[in-house]
């Protein structure tokens, strides 16, 4: 597994020339060509070879549909990812303007878009190569197992706001699409290894090759180990974790219009945490070091058929996720999904896309004293269909209308329509607006959960009975979908050749949000009562509005220096309905930062060095008593020869030790984020 | 008459690079920096690039001397059926010359009588839109023996007697050439083009060429 040829002077010279070319690129783009953008670029001056190397936008991909359809979209490219020094997907998502990313402990994150953030955030849909990774258990994401070989990521597309018409229920406040490169684009070997004070060690490798003329493949494996962090009160925490993972992707692209993809992963991740659970006997709660593991695998096959003006795809996947927490809960989930999609042109001015989907979820779980789920075993079937039409009204005005129709076992039929309008006023500026409806369908836990939150000792003023009182949250079969009606307005402008800005604003109107309504207490135990249960039952008695804006500006100061600035504002006015008896405070309002901003500088230095610095500000979370914080991150990359890269990342260099979040529902001890240094070396061969 | 590429002036490369960037930025606007760019995402660059291909075909195909009345007669490009180019192709060839010849773009609707139309017979390149796939055989029959380079997009176009088919692979434009069909039209396709093309052999089986 060594390079066949050592790096040569010629190679170095080639890279030098390539870099020169890319500088010229920026220079020319800035000075000459952009001015003539209004006219058609003179393609006749290009050679056949040049023309054959230009990528064109494909006709009716989902991802493009949304970008076209006018939405608040942001893309993290592979280069952004590399220059950020992020070693995990959650950390990479801090680059997205307006997204709320908070680390709870080393192996848990709360990630949200436009509010309602939490460890069990249920309004964000996440997909990896078309495979949905939100768990139907709580309609959220196990962030610590959503991982791929980072070098193989093509891009991460993040849409803030609803995407339910194309993606369905749960794409309420945002969609994150992690897209890996085609196997054809990873036809080499890569080995990367690194270590630091928080991420103690990590090693990953990928190898890609061809079988015959038409089949490309790659395989990868990775391992990492994180050291424990500290508690806010001092002392080493118990939140270390490690994970190993492997997988493959093969693309078969014979001549003609069909192509096939087969890909899969397996993983195992072990974690530690400090857990507090209620108990029956005095002192009625216990705090102890807990551990557990996530393991699973998935396999996905996709057939694509594209011809001029139309494209079709059929995708199937199977996904297994097993969560085995040693003290709380064991859950085995098997998910099977089929998805068909077809896009085509109708006449000259319309582009139609429609699709059908089926998903089957088989869940089996083992309870503990504090958490159980009824029934212990069940199978759910979901059916969906969508239709969307994109119409060019006049040259500069494009209208998109469509709707998703879904059927699920809990709430029956749901529909999620949207209307979007894009107006390209001048070649340099455009305005878009959208009205969309999205629903968040009930999770398994909201139907059948029993979670004992705390135990009130007997014989005290709060509980005069002789029995311990179990404060218990229950799911309910009467729980309905949460509804959103979203109004969005956005503006994009290329101010000068080197400066562009993008502003997205929204007003979201929610109804039927989840509350926990008190029920009549009852005695438990047979034949002799042992305890009294004070139930709080999942219900839909909350609603209200949120509004906000996200702004991003991208300025190429010089050919070698880029500045990106982002600011986001969020105001949440969520209130309980007058008939709600939920005694808890209106938590969602105070658990999201009202102001967030960052400034990021990306500098290309001589001798193949690059330097990135990011200063971030995250506002306080009053409901969680989390103060605001600043964080300064830096990354230095150095490519002495094209196939070798050294990288050093420093996070939170100001050493402003801070908590970022307090977990909800499951009482694990949050830990602080402090200064972290991580170094790595990456070698390409073949 | 052969057309050779003239040595480029020193700034030729820069200009070429600049155009590449411009085309590139059109295609990449939304993927790379959709959040930050203003550009008009509605205009796919596909047909701009395809127009560039058609211009290059004109450059690397040799017509029989009888195909043109005068040394400076224009190269007439016909677009048959639903036009996917819009104005793009007019803009691309506007003011361009190959040797002494300029370009003229004409648009046609299919009918049986088309082959008797003088305007149609003057075409030297005929772009056959995918909308005409029901009539490919009739169209091939109509231009048979005429020095008209037929270019299409629909799958099977070259196998069914068309000369060049443009297609997308991995979001890049590729093309296949039915050499026999070109010979039937007395057209000589430069080896420079053929090395880049996928050749459709007489039996209809596909043969891959390097590149």
């Amino acid at each position: 597994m060594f390079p066949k040829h050592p790096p040569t002077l010629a190679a170095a010279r080639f890279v030098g020339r390539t870099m020169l070319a890319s500088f010229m690129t920026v220079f020319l783009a800035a000075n000459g060509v952009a001015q003539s953008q209004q006219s058609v670029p003179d393609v006749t001056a290009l050679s056949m070879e040049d023309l054959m190397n230009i990528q064109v936008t494909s006709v009716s991909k989902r991802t493009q549909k949304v970008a076209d359809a006018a939405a608040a979209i942001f893309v993290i490219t592979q280069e952004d990812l590399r220059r950020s020094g992020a070693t995990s997907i959650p950390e990479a998502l801090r680059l997205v303007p307006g997204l709320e990313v908070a680390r709870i402990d080393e192996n848990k994150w709360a990630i949200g878009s436009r509010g309602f953030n939490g460890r069990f955030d249920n309004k964000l849909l996440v997909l990896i190569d078309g495979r949905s990774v939100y768990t139907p258990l709580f309609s959220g994401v196990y962030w610590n197992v959503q991982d791929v070989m980072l070098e193989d990521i093509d891009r991460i597309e993040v849409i803030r706001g609803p995407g339910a018409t194309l993606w369905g229920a749960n794409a309420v406040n945002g969609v994150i699409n992690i897209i890996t490169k085609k196997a054809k684009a990873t036809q080499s070997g890569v080995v990367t290894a690194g270590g630091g004070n928080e991420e103690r060690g990590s090693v990953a490798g990928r190898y890609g090759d061809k079988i015959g003329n038409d089949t490309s493949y790659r395989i990868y494996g990775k391992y990492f180990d994180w050291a424990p962090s500290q508690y806010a009160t001092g002392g080493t925490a118990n939140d270390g974790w490690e994970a190993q993972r492997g997988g493959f992707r093969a693309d078969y692209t014979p001549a003609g219009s069909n192509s096939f993809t087969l890909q899969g992963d397996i993983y195992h991740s072990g974690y530690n945490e400090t857990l507090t659970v209620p108990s029956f006997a005095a002192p009625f709660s216990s705090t102890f070091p807990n551990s557990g593991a996530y393991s699973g695998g998935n396999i996905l096959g996709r057939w694509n058929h594209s011809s001029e003006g139309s494209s079709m795809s059929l995708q199937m996947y199977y996904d297994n996720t097993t969560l085995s927490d040693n003290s709380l809960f064991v859950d085995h989930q098997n998910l099977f999904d089929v998805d068909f999609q077809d896009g085509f042109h109708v006449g000259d001015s319309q582009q139609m896309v429609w699709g059908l989907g089926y998903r089957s979820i088989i869940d089996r779980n083992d309870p503990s004293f504090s958490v159980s789920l009824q029934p212990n075993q069940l199978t759910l079937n979901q059916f969906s269909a969508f239709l969307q039409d994109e119409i060019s009204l006049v040259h500069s005005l494009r209208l998109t209308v469509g709707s998703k129709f879904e059927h699920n076992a809990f709430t029956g039929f749901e529909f999620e329509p949207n209307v979007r309008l894009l107006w390209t006023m001048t070649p340099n500026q455009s305005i878009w607006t959208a009205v969309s409806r999205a629903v968040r369908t009930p999770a398994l836990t909201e139907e059948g959960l029993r979670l004992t939150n705390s135990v009130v000792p007997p014989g005290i003023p709060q509980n005069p009975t002789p029995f311990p009182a179990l404060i218990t949250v229950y799911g309910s079969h009467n729980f309905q979908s949460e509804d959103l009606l979203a109004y969005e307005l956005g503006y994009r402008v290329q101010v000068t050749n080197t400066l562009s800005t993008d502003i997205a604003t929204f007003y979201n109107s929610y109804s039927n949000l989840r509350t926990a309504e008190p029920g009549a207490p009852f005695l438990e135990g047979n034949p002799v009562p042992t305890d009294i249960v004070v139930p709080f039952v999942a219900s839909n008695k909350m609603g209200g509005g949120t509004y906000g804006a996200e702004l991003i500006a991208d300025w190429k100061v010089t050919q070698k220096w880029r500045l990106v600035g982002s600011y986001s504002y969020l105001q949440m006015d969520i209130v309980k309905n007058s008939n709600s008896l939920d005694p808890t405070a209106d938590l969602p309002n105070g658990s999201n930062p009202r102001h967030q901003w960052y400034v990021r500088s990306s500098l290309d230095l001589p001798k193949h060095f690059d330097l990135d610095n990011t200063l971030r500000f995250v506002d306080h979370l009053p409901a969680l008593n989390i103060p605001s914080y600043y964080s300064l991150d830096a990354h230095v990359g150095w490519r002495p020869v094209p196939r070798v890269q050294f990288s050093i990342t420093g996070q939170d260099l100001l050493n402003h030790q801070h908590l970022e979040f307090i977990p909800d529902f499951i009482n694990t001890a949050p830990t602080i984020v402090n200064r972290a240094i991580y170094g790595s070396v990456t070698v390409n061969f073949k | 008459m052969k057309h050779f590429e003239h040595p480029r002036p020193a700034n030729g490369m820069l200009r070429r690079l600049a155009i590449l960037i411009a085309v590139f930025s059109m295609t990449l606007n939304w993927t790379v920096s959709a959040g930050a760019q203003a550009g008009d995402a509605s205009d796919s660059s596909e047909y701009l690039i395809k127009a560039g291909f058609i211009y290059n075909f004109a450059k690397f195909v040799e017509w029989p001397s009888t195909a043109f009345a005068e040394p400076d007669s224009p190269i007439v490009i016909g677009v048959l059926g639903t036009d996917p180019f819009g104005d793009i192709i007019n803009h691309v060839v506007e003011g361009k010359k190959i040797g002494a010849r300029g370009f003229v773009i004409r648009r046609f609707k299919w009918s049986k009588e088309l082959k008797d139309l003088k305007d149609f017979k003057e075409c030297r390149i005929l772009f056959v839109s995918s909308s005409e796939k029901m009539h490919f055989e009739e169209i091939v029959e109509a231009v048979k023996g005429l020095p008209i380079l037929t270019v299409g997009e629909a799958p099977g176009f070259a196998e069914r007697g068309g000369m060049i088919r443009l297609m997308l692979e991995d979001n890049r434009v590729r093309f296949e050439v039915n050499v026999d069909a070109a010979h039937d039209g007395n057209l000589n396709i430069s080896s420079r083009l053929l090395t880049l093309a996928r050749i459709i052999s007489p039996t209809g089986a596909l043969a891959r060429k390097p590149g």
Side-chain angles (χ1 to χ4, degrees):
Chain A
M1 305 274 277
F2 284 100
K4 278 181 199 148
H5 308 287
T8 59
L9 198 59
R13 241 187 265 131
F14 173 75
V15 169
R17 234 186 296 144
T18 315
M19 290 193 59
L20 181 70
S22 53
F23 291 147
M24 282 197 302
T25 300
V26 176
F27 176 76
L28 285 166
N31 290 293
V33 183
Q35 271 122 12
S36 61
Q37 245 173 12
Q38 230 158 335
S39 63
V40 174
D42 183 9
V43 284
T44 62
L46 301 179
S47 71
M48 288 295 288
E49 288 81 358
D50 287 337
L51 287 168
M52 290 180 82
N53 275 324
I54 301 175
Q55 268 206 318
V56 304
T57 40
S58 59
V59 271
S60 52
K61 263 195 208 151
R62 250 186 197 179
T63 46
Q64 188 200 357
K65 293 298 289 181
V66 170
D68 277 359
I73 184 166
F74 183 82
V75 179
I76 301 172
T77 63
Q78 170 59 228
E79 180 66 2
D80 293 337
L81 201 57
R82 182 189 71 79
R83 293 188 74 140
S84 75
T87 58
S88 68
I89 287 171
E91 292 302 321
L93 292 175
R94 292 190 195 267
L95 294 172
V96 182
L99 213 64
E100 296 127 25
V101 179
R103 200 175 86 181
I104 298 168
D105 66 22
E106 294 281 31
N107 56 66
K108 294 177 190 68
W109 281 266
I111 297 180
S113 165
R114 297 182 173 175
F116 303 96
N117 199 14
R119 180 181 170 195
F120 301 105
D121 180 356
N122 50 29
K123 295 179 181 59
L124 190 62
L125 183 65
V126 182
L127 300 121
I128 299 179
D129 284 335
R131 176 174 54 90
S132 164
V133 298
Y134 86 80
T135 168
L137 193 62
F138 57 88
S139 294
V141 177
Y142 298 123
W143 281 107
N144 51 358
V145 296
Q146 306 316 331
D147 197 11
V148 295
M149 176 97 187
L150 295 183
E151 285 76 7
D152 291 348
I153 289 181
D154 186 60
R155 61 189 190 276
I156 303 176
E157 294 180 351
V158 181
I159 296 153
R160 301 177 305 269
T165 298
L166 293 180
W167 282 281
N170 291 54
V172 176
N173 277 6
V175 183
I176 297 178
N177 249 315
I178 298 155
I179 298 158
T180 67
K181 294 174 181 171
K182 291 187 174 180
K184 210 178 195 174
T186 51
Q187 293 288 294
S188 65
V190 175
V191 174
T192 174
N197 64 330
E198 282 208 319
E199 186 166 2
R200 276 188 293 221
S202 91
V203 58
R206 172 253 285 156
Y207 179 76
D209 206 347
K210 267 180 145 40
I211 306 171
N213 266 339
D214 300 329
T215 306
S216 308
Y217 72 92
R218 68 165 175 261
I219 51 171
Y220 80 93
K222 72 186 281 187
Y223 169 81
F224 60 76
D225 173 38
W226 282 71
S229 174
Q230 279 119 45
Y231 298 119
T233 50
T236 304
N238 178 52
D239 61 348
W241 65 306
E242 57 168 17
Q244 57 262 40
R245 151 184 308 270
F248 74 99
R249 171 167 177 160
D251 295 319
Y252 172 56
T253 46
S257 47
N258 294 305
S259 63
F260 303 86
T261 295
L262 186 67
Q263 65 187 96
D265 308 86
I266 50 169
Y267 60 85
H268 178 91
S269 166
Y271 64 90
N272 294 324
E273 64 190 12
T274 300
L275 181 68
T276 301
V277 292
S279 63
F280 238 174
F284 301 101
S285 92
S286 58
T287 299
F288 56 93
N290 182 41
S291 63
Y294 294 88
S295 60
N298 61 75
I299 187 149
L300 177 145
R302 190 185 306 115
W303 165 66
N304 270 312
H305 175 88
S306 58
S307 52
E308 266 56 56
S310 86
S311 84
M312 213 183 274
S313 74
L314 179 67
Q315 173 186 283
M316 271 185 247
Y317 65 82
Y318 163 77
D319 185 298
N320 168 278
T321 306
T322 298
L323 158 63
S324 28
D325 186 290
N326 293 343
S327 310
L328 276 182
F329 194 60
V330 175
D331 182 67
H332 305 273
Q333 207 160 75
N334 288 293
L335 199 146
F336 175 72
D337 185 284
V338 191
D339 189 66
F340 172 79
Q341 189 190 311
D342 181 23
F344 53 91
H345 291 282
V346 181
D348 292 337
S349 59
Q350 289 185 64
Q351 215 176 346
M352 196 82 94
V353 57
W354 67 281
L356 295 171
Y358 167 72
R359 182 174 297 174
S360 171
I361 299 154
I362 301 156
D363 186 83
R364 189 161 54 78
N365 60 80
D366 305 322
S368 68
F369 165 68
S370 54
V371 185
S372 66
L373 188 61
Q374 287 299 328
N376 278 43
Q377 195 164 348
L378 87 166
T379 302
L380 298 174
N381 293 306
Q382 295 172 359
F383 302 90
S384 67
F386 78 93
L387 176 68
Q388 180 161 292
D389 191 10
E390 196 180 297
I391 307 153
S392 299
L393 298 174
V394 292
H395 180 64
S396 60
L397 208 56
R398 220 142 34 84
L399 175 73
T400 306
V401 285
S403 183
K404 183 116 183 169
F405 306 90
E406 278 183 297
H407 185 271
N408 72 81
F410 298 139
T411 61
F413 276 103
E414 301 281 1
F415 73 107
E416 291 139 297
N418 74 8
V419 182
R420 288 171 189 272
L421 191 65
L422 175 75
W423 178 31
T424 312
M425 292 179 289
T426 70
N428 294 334
Q429 50 183 336
S430 61
I431 288 186
W432 61 269
T433 182
V435 180
S436 23
R437 178 176 192 264
V439 301
R440 210 269 303 165
T441 52
L444 292 176
T445 47
E446 286 160 331
E447 291 285 315
L449 180 75
R450 174 184 160 143
L451 182 145
T452 299
N453 190 271
S454 58
V455 176
V456 184
I460 63 166
Q462 293 92 330
N463 177 19
T465 71
F467 305 108
L470 274 52
I471 309 298
T472 302
V473 176
Y474 278 89
S476 161
H477 294 307
N478 295 323
F479 188 76
Q480 294 299 306
S481 293
E482 298 183 331
D483 295 327
L484 164 67
L485 196 55
Y487 306 86
E488 294 175 276
L489 179 65
Y491 173 63
R492 294 186 185 116
V493 59
Q494 183 90 34
V495 185
T496 68
N497 293 325
T498 54
L499 176 67
S500 63
T501 62
D502 181 336
I503 302 162
T505 62
F506 65 93
Y507 175 75
N508 284 352
S509 172
Y510 296 90
S511 55
N512 290 329
L513 292 175
R514 186 179 64 210
T515 52
E517 301 296 326
F522 59 91
L523 283 169
E524 225 180 13
N526 198 11
V528 188
T530 52
D531 58 80
I532 182 164
V533 175
V534 183
F536 287 85
V537 182
S539 188
N540 301 84
K541 294 186 176 174
M542 192 160 71
T546 65
Y547 58 89
E550 295 123 4
L551 174 112
I552 183 156
D554 193 323
W555 182 26
K556 276 213 168 66
V557 188
T558 70
Q559 295 103 317
K560 296 178 183 181
W561 187 25
R562 177 181 173 207
L563 278 179
V564 178
S566 152
Y567 167 74
S568 63
Y569 176 82
L570 173 69
Q571 172 69 39
M572 298 184 72
D573 298 319
I574 302 294
V575 288
K576 281 173 294 202
N577 301 355
S578 54
N579 62 351
S580 171
L581 299 170
D582 186 342
T584 54
D586 285 326
L587 271 179
N589 291 341
S591 50
N592 298 273
R594 179 168 297 176
H595 305 277
Q596 288 194 96
W597 57 258
Y598 74 71
V599 179
R600 189 173 140 219
S601 152
S602 300
L603 200 56
D604 293 336
L605 298 171
K607 309 263 180 214
H608 310 299
F609 279 92
D610 52 61
L611 172 66
D612 283 63
N613 298 86
T614 308
L615 179 66
R616 281 190 300 122
F617 171 78
V618 179
D619 206 359
H620 69 301
L621 311 179
L624 305 179
N625 210 10
I626 298 271
S628 64
Y629 71 87
Y630 290 90
S631 169
L632 177 67
D633 303 338
H635 173 264
V636 182
W638 180 43
R639 276 179 203 267
V641 290
R643 59 180 72 212
V644 178
Q645 156 153 327
F646 295 93
S647 142
I648 294 178
T649 310
Q651 276 174 320
D652 201 30
L653 292 172
L654 303 173
N655 206 22
H656 184 172
Q657 302 192 335
H658 60 278
L659 281 178
E660 293 189 347
F661 211 76
I662 306 288
D664 38 351
F665 292 106
I666 305 292
N667 190 355
T668 60
T671 64
I672 57 169
V673 177
N674 53 13
R675 185 185 291 161
I677 306 292
Y678 180 82
S680 71
V681 56
T682 305
V683 182
N684 279 269
F685 57 92
K686 191 180 149 185
Chain B
M1 45 181 294
K2 287 246 181 216
H3 303 290
F4 294 100
E5 278 197 281
H6 297 289
R8 292 173 192 284
N11 67 359
M13 198 187 91
L14 289 183
R15 187 161 160 264
R16 213 176 98 203
L17 206 61
I19 294 156
L20 267 177
I21 306 318
V23 177
F24 212 64
S25 64
M26 282 182 69
T27 66
L28 289 189
N29 252 355
W30 69 268
T31 46
V32 173
S33 48
Q37 294 281 339
D40 180 3
S42 68
D43 288 345
S44 160
S45 58
E46 180 180 345
Y47 285 95
L48 174 62
I49 297 163
K50 285 183 172 173
F53 270 82
I54 289 177
Y55 172 83
N56 267 279
F57 295 155
K59 215 153 112 186
F60 294 110
V61 168
E62 202 185 328
W63 280 270
S65 50
T66 53
F68 295 96
E70 307 288 336
D72 60 351
S73 297
I75 299 169
V76 178
I77 300 176
V79 177
L80 178 58
T82 306
D83 179 5
F85 292 99
D87 286 346
I88 290 174
I89 195 161
N90 298 61
H91 289 300
V92 165
V93 299
E94 196 179 320
K96 292 290 167 331
K97 289 213 152 146
I98 291 179
R101 303 190 192 286
F103 286 90
V104 170
I105 309 287
R106 288 180 191 156
R107 290 176 171 79
F108 300 98
K109 278 199 167 36
W110 170 252
S111 72
K112 298 250 186 265
E113 294 71 42
L114 200 59
K115 62 172 189 285
D116 304 318
L117 202 69
K118 181 168 167 288
D119 277 1
F120 181 76
K121 285 196 286 192
E122 278 176 6
C123 287
R124 289 300 153 253
I125 297 178
L126 181 68
F127 180 87
V128 184
S129 166
S130 300
S131 66
E132 305 309 298
K133 56 185 154 208
M134 308 306 291
H135 321 292
F136 279 171
E137 277 76 10
E138 296 165 77
I139 294 165
V140 166
E141 195 55 39
V143 300
K144 200 166 191 155
L146 296 173
I148 298 179
L149 181 78
T150 50
V151 181
E153 299 184 291
F157 179 75
E159 284 87 348
R160 288 164 68 183
M163 294 175 195
I164 297 184
R165 178 188 163 225
L166 291 169
M167 61 213 167
L168 286 183
E169 256 181 42
D170 270 349
N171 290 339
R172 289 180 171 83
V173 179
R174 296 283 179 269
F175 64 104
E176 50 191 27
V177 175
N178 180 337
V179 181
D180 293 348
H183 282 165
D184 289 348
N186 281 319
L187 302 182
N188 190 5
I189 298 178
S190 139
S191 61
R192 174 108 200 261
L193 271 191
L194 292 179
T195 53
L196 297 172
R198 180 181 296 158
I199 306 298
I200 302 297
S201 71
T203 56
L206 295 179
R208 253 175 209 276
K209 278 270 172 178

